[in-house]
Structures are given as C-alpha cells and as structure tokens.
Amino acid sequence: MTAFRDLKDLMAKATPARSGDLLAGIAAQTAQERVEAQMALADLPLRTFLSQALIPYEDDEVTRLIIDTHDAQAFAPISHLTVGDFRNWLLQDETDCETLAAVAPGITPEMAAAVCKIMRNQDLILVGQKCRVVTAFRNTIGLRGRLATRLQPNHPTDDASGIAASLIDGLLYGSGDAVIGINPATDNVPQVIKLVAMMAELIDQYAIPTQSCVLTHVTNTLAAMERGAPVDLVFQSIGGTEATNRSFGIDLALLGQAQEAALALKRGTVGHNVMYFETGQGSALSANGHHGVDQQTCEARAYAVARHFKPLLVNTVVGFIGPEYLYDGKQIIRAGLEDHFCGKLLGLPMGCDVCYTNHAEADQDDMDVLLTLLATAGCTFVMGVPGSDDIMLNYQSTSFHDALYVRRVLGLRPAPEFEAWLQRMQIMRGEGAGFRLLDELPPGFQHALLGAP
C-alpha cells in the first residue's frame, strides 16, 4: 500500500483525475494509487477533519470560519462514522431531506469533499436529489419539482437595446426566475447604476416577481447602493482560501458589510436572501492560493464562505475556467455533479452554469448530459443565455431552449410566483408537466415589442 504524507496528500490522491491537480503536481500518478487513497480515505473517521486542518487555523480566515462556526450538536448523529460509513449513511432511504438539513451545519466542507471522492456519479445524483434548500427574495427558489433559470442578457458593449432584446426574449421563453443577471462589459460604478436602474424599471413595469443583479465587484455594488441605486442582490466571486479571496480583492468582513447594506434596502418581498455567489474548481490554483490542497476540496471550502452569508443563489461556473483545470467533457461532468452535491450537502441553494470554453475537449452534447444529470439531481437553477453562446464572455452555456427541454422532460416548473406571472401575462399556460409556452406573442408584450395600441 502507498504511504501518504498527510491528510492533504491523501485527499489529493483520492480525487478523481482532473487536469488542475496534475498541473499542481498533487494528483495520483496511477489509477492504483488513486484507489489505494480512496480506500484509506474511506476508513478515516469524520472527526479527523475537526482536529487536522488542511490549511492552518492561524494562516487562513476561511479555516477559522469553518472551525469557529462548526455546529457540534448537528454533527453528533454522524460523529462516530468514518468517511465510508458516511457515504453509506447518506445513501440510506431513511436519510431523508429533513435529516440531511438537520446535520448540514455539522458537516464541514472537508467532510463533504472527502465523501464525494469515494462516491460514483449516481451516488452524487441520488444524495443531491434528497437535499432541498429553499431561499427567497421576490420569489421562492429551490422547491421540489422546480428548476429556476438565471436570465443572462450580456452584451459586448452593454448596449441597452441589445440587453433589452435578450431580456425580453428570455422572459418570453419562461427564463429569469432565479435572477436577471448581467455581466457588465464596462465595469465601473456609473455603468453598474445604469444597468441596475434599467432592470429595476423593467421589473417594476411588468410587475415581474424576480430579482436583478449586476455581476460586478462587491465594492462597486456598495458604492452603487451608497448612491441610491435600486440593488436587489449583491454579487461576488469567492474562493475557498483567504489567499484566493484576497486575489479577488475581498475578505469576510467586506462581504458582511455588503450583506448588511443590501438587507437595509429591504427590497425583498417574500424573503431576504440578498447574496449571489459564484465559484469554480481551479480558482484557488489559478490564484496560487491553494496551499497544496486539491481543487475540489478548495471548491467545497468556498461553500463555507457562501453558507455564512445565507445567499439566495450559489453558482458553480463549472467549465468556464478552462481545460487547464477541467480538461474535457468527462471531467466537467464529474466536477458539476461534485459541486452540486457538496453545496447541497452543506445547505446551499446550488445552481450550475453548465458550460465550457471553446478550447476545452468538450461540446454541447457533453453539456446536454450534465444538464440532464443536474436537473435529475435537483439542481436549483441553470443559465439562460441567448442561443447558449455568450457573446460578451465568449463561452458556451445553456440556452432558454435548453431550460425548456429539461423542464419538459423531467416535469419541472419555474418558481411558483414566477410561474403565476407567466400565466397571468399569457406567456405560458397549463399546470405540472403540461406547462407550455403559448404559440403567439402575449398581449402584455405586444406594445413593447410591436408598438401595438
């Protein structure tokens, strides 16, 4: 049997193969070494992760957050288990949604990452499907039998008419209940305010029960709120180590300040989850902030940061970072299922940008597979991009039609408040699996689009 240097080495060697860990020089060199690591990891008591920090407590505020906020009472029912026993416990029929929700505060990211490494894809789907995390702002996200979408109307020059065209197009396909979220091409405070105001006007004009977000740096959003901008959600990319977050220009205190500012605006109507986070395997390695920890475990640690701020949405942008970290469709599919599983297990409203860059060994068929698997696993939301091709960020994601496909095949529906609005606006009709688009332009949009009286 192979000897492993420490817990960090064991975790890295047990991880299913991916290019990022090879790039970092920490991956198993052979399939045999990987299996030996997985067997050793399966025999490891879960309690080990409470006494052996992968990144030292004194060196990293994310480690301190994980340890200081750990709920010993929630952990008690599983505290006697090994990682392998934990997998078996998760897969038991008796371990239901309520049981998983009760233990979630007692599960550390490292525990979730460890058990993930010894699970097959079908295991990740089964357990993910049992986890239900419900959040709310102007509508309710994460209910069973629902799949929300982020309407992503990006434009390479932030042209208002171009954004509006994509926005209306998405709404007419039933997209946008998770959030209407724009990545600004010009990232400065005046432009943020302009885009926020534009979306707020549209939401108010048509009384749409959804929320908007400009995906800018948190400091820009804070400045926009200080100038009176009608901000719904605060966005920020986050990582699983203090060094990674420092590379993003953030720390936990800054995120807390932004959360307080957004809550003070009281713009939510059915709930008050005001944060929107995005993550992705490989970000810590890219920032040289991984401390020798494998990328899947670093990703799970980012979920501890997200969990602390009670977000409305968390999105793993799974294939966006490129083939240096996830080489091909097989690795992207596995990573998407891992991220969804770990996030849900830790109590987060996990969505996924089912995506890839054009220099990765992946294609739209791979994304169809991942989309279908994630929707089966109870994914909270996916992206809605015109034609699945984001012309500003230059990557391939999922389209409005893709969301319709998976809703139709699996009998999934939009968020309930948004669904009622779609029916009221005569965009869709029917109930349950029979919920369908109408064949003609809805009367409520004829004036806006055609100039009809």
Side-chain angles (χ1 to χ4, degrees), residues 221 286 384 392:
T221 306
S286 177
M392 195 277 282

Side-chain angles (χ1 to χ4, degrees), residues 435-450:
F435 199 57
R436 295 288 187 271
L437 285 170
L438 271 71
D439 296 329
E440 57 187 17
L441 188 65
F445 283 87
Q446 287 180 5
H447 177 74
L449 299 178
L450 304 176

Side-chain angles (χ1 to χ4, degrees), residues 269-289:
T269 55
V270 297
H272 304 288
N273 299 109
V274 296
M275 305 299 283
Y276 174 21
F277 296 119
E278 287 194 346
T279 66
Q281 288 193 30
S283 61
L285 177 58
S286 177
N288 195 27

Side-chain angles (χ1 to χ4, degrees), residues 276-333:
Y276 174 21
F277 296 119
E278 287 194 346
T279 66
Q281 288 193 30
S283 61
L285 177 58
S286 177
N288 195 27
H290 61 108
H291 298 270
V293 176
D294 68 272
Q295 67 181 39
Q296 189 257 324
T297 300
C298 284
E299 172 73 4
R301 284 170 55 93
Y303 303 155
V305 176
R307 178 166 66 175
H308 186 62
F309 295 101
K310 300 178 176 60
L312 179 75
L313 307 165
V314 180
N315 178 32
T316 170
V317 192
V318 66
F320 183 74
I321 199 165
E324 300 86 355
Y325 306 95
L326 296 170
Y327 179 72
D328 57 15
K330 181 180 177 67
Q331 292 187 11
I332 292 171
I333 289 167

Side-chain angles (χ1 to χ4, degrees), residues 84-290:
D85 294 332
F86 187 35
R87 171 188 175 273
N88 295 337
W89 181 84
L90 288 170
L91 293 171
Q92 290 176 355
D93 289 339
E94 294 78 12
T95 306
D96 57 15
C97 177
E98 291 73 22
T99 303
L100 289 167
V103 301
I107 301 172
T108 68
E110 291 84 355
M111 294 175 192
V115 74
C116 180
K117 295 176 193 301
I118 64 168
M119 297 175 81
R120 292 171 56 185
N121 285 359
Q122 67 172 248
D123 299 337
L124 301 177
I125 293 168
L126 177 60
V127 178
Q129 198 274 340
K130 292 199 287 186
C131 296
R132 283 291 150 188
V133 181
V134 179
T135 56
F137 190 76
R138 288 201 192 93
N139 57 33
T140 308
I141 304 294
L143 295 169
R144 186 170 297 279
R146 308 278 176 171
L147 176 68
T149 57
R150 170 190 159 190
L151 206 175
Q152 186 169 310
N154 296 341
H155 192 277
T157 63
D158 287 339
D159 178 72
S161 59
I163 291 172
S166 294
L167 223 162
I168 297 297
D169 188 29
L171 290 172
L172 292 177
Y173 280 104
S175 185
D177 45 345
V179 63
I180 300 173
I182 299 175
N183 299 87
T186 307
D187 198 5
N188 57 57
V189 176
Q191 185 67 4
V192 169
I193 294 173
K194 177 182 176 182
L195 293 173
V196 166
M198 173 187 173
M199 289 187 288
E201 181 180 358
L202 180 81
I203 289 172
D204 290 344
Q205 179 180 350
Y206 292 102
I208 310 171
T210 191
Q211 38 282 329
S212 71
C213 184
V214 175
L215 282 71
T216 185
H217 194 269
V218 63
T219 52
N220 286 341
T221 306
L222 273 167
M225 287 190 283
E226 289 170 359
R227 299 184 194 181
V231 169
D232 290 341
L233 304 184
V234 173
F235 167 81
Q236 183 57 48
S237 295
I238 57 173
T241 71
E242 181 178 345
T244 306
N245 288 327
R246 195 183 306 122
S247 77
F248 292 150
I250 63 167
D251 57 21
L252 299 180
L254 180 61
L255 293 177
Q257 180 185 351
Q259 182 189 34
E260 290 179 8
L263 286 170
L265 297 181
K266 299 180 179 179
R267 292 181 57 79
T269 55
V270 297
H272 304 288
N273 299 109
V274 296
M275 305 299 283
Y276 174 21
F277 296 119
E278 287 194 346
T279 66
Q281 288 193 30
S283 61
L285 177 58
S286 177
N288 195 27
H290 61 108

